[in-house]
Amino acid sequence: MSDPSGAARPSRSTDTRARLIHASAALVAEEGWRGVTTRSVAARAGVNNALVHYHFGSIDALLVAAVSEAFAAEIGAGMELVLAPEDPAEGLAAFGRWLADRSDDVATDRILLEGMSLATRRDDVRAVFAPSFAAFRASLTDRLAVLGFAEPGPLASALAAMLDGIAIHRLLDPDLDVAAALEAVARLLADAHDG
């Protein structure tokens, strides 16, 4: 179905799915994964309980979809920032500025942290994170190798882990100056490469 401007309108089913994902993400941020129920998601989304199972099969499948969507939107964007410039030092600095600018998005960070924690115990949640993290490390390894860094694979793994860690530290300490921290690491990386 189209609106008068000619743009396609989302179907009612697509809209309901989106509302359920949005509601479950908000509830995970507020209550944690275990605190979210079919009834609470349906109430937040303003739909019948049965629609959770109709669209997703289970509350767990819905929560995995919500984590997956948050991951694609947020972590994917951060990874792209690191890899966009040819110089990884510039990418780290750009990531730091981006992370600092989104300091008001604590809800998304909570969802991602909850998802990463669950990924250590659940294969379905691990499948949301692991392939993208591996692809990011591989791309960063390739970039570092082309630039002539010694031991590009281990360095890429260390840099990726540092980015995850700084994001967690910012969540726990909102006053942390992540931009300054990553600019300092970027300078060290640039110096190591030039030296």
Side-chain angles (χ1 to χ4, degrees):
M1 186 180 296
S2 297
D3 68 18
S5 69
R9 258 180 65 189
S11 70
R12 179 178 283 164
S13 179
T14 301
D15 180 58
T16 299
R17 284 180 62 85
R19 287 170 51 201
L20 288 167
I21 287 172
H22 180 76
S24 64
L27 287 165
V28 168
E30 294 167 15
E31 305 293 332
W33 189 283
R34 290 183 180 257
V36 180
T37 65
T38 301
R39 189 175 306 276
S40 65
V41 170
R44 177 71 63 99
V47 300
N48 184 293
N49 294 350
L51 290 175
V52 170
H53 295 283
Y54 173 78
H55 286 285
F56 295 95
S58 70
I59 189 67
D60 270 358
L62 169 56
L63 296 177
V64 170
V67 167
S68 182
E69 187 171 292
F71 177 86
E74 294 301 319
I75 294 181
M79 289 176 176
E80 288 176 22
L81 281 172
V82 173
L83 295 172
E86 189 171 315
D87 181 356
E90 290 175 21
L92 290 176
F95 180 87
R97 291 187 298 273
W98 170 77
L99 194 58
D101 287 345
R102 57 179 297 283
S103 63
D104 60 340
D105 197 2
V106 173
T108 299
D109 291 344
R110 287 179 182 161
I111 295 161
L112 294 172
L113 190 56
E114 187 91 15
M116 283 190 234
S117 175
L118 282 167
T120 65
R121 296 182 302 279
R122 293 182 48 161
D123 289 340
D124 58 340
V125 181
R126 183 178 300 113
V128 170
F129 294 95
S132 294
F133 282 173
F136 174 70
R137 287 191 310 271
S139 296
L140 189 53
T141 297
D142 292 346
R143 175 76 47 82
L144 294 169
V146 166
L147 293 172
F149 278 89
E151 301 184 75
L155 180 57
S157 294
L159 290 171
M162 181 207 54
L163 294 174
D164 293 338
I166 198 108
I168 291 168
H169 279 256
R170 187 194 61 82
L171 182 59
L172 299 174
D173 180 4
D175 295 328
L176 178 66
D177 190 345
V178 294
L182 286 174
E183 285 172 12
V185 173
R187 285 191 298 276
L188 287 173
L189 193 62
D191 290 347
H193 184 252
D194 294 339

